[in-house]
Amino acid sequence: MPDALLLSYINRVLTVLGIQGNPSGLKVDCVRPSAPHDGTIYGGAGSDSNEAQIQFTIEICVAAVSHGLRMVDVRRVQGDEAAYEFLCKKVLDTLEMILQVAND
């Protein structure tokens, strides 16, 4: 899969979840704004109760001898760890669904 296509899928996922993304090359700097913010995903009580701003990055990684294999690396920059884990799971699960549909 071309990097540009994978990056477009990542941007689509961020848009659906209400997360702001700023792409630069194969990296996207992401911000989930503080609540309340229309259209933005927040976890339920206990998983993301503070609803504070979360900053993280998503990067497409390419191995030297990858044979087309791409990895998606997600890292927390700032914000509550539990909230980041919730968002990370949502982003990766949604991306996986899009990729499965695209490959069918």
Side-chain angles (χ1 to χ4, degrees):
M1 170 178 297
D3 296 335
L5 182 58
L6 181 54
L7 193 57
S8 74
Y9 289 151
I10 290 169
N11 285 321
R12 186 179 305 170
V13 167
L14 294 174
T15 300
V16 166
L17 297 178
I19 298 169
Q20 301 164 357
N22 182 23
S24 176
L26 297 179
K27 184 177 179 180
V28 182
D29 294 321
C30 306
V31 176
R32 195 247 358 231
S34 301
H37 197 273
D38 290 340
T40 301
I41 189 166
Y42 296 95
S47 65
D48 191 6
S49 58
N50 64 1
E51 297 180 350
Q53 178 175 293
I54 306 297
Q55 296 178 6
F56 59 100
T57 62
I58 301 174
E59 187 170 8
I60 299 171
C61 303
V62 183
V65 182
S66 66
H67 305 289
L69 179 66
R70 301 294 186 260
M71 296 168 280
V72 176
D73 182 41
V74 185
R75 293 180 187 243
R76 181 174 63 98
V77 174
Q78 182 180 359
D80 180 71
E81 190 171 340
Y84 159 76
E85 289 176 6
F86 169 81
L87 288 174
C88 184
K89 180 168 177 26
K90 286 294 182 189
V91 167
L92 293 175
D93 286 350
T94 307
L95 181 60
E96 182 179 18
M97 284 190 300
I98 288 175
L99 292 172
Q100 286 177 353
V101 169
N103 290 326
D104 285 345

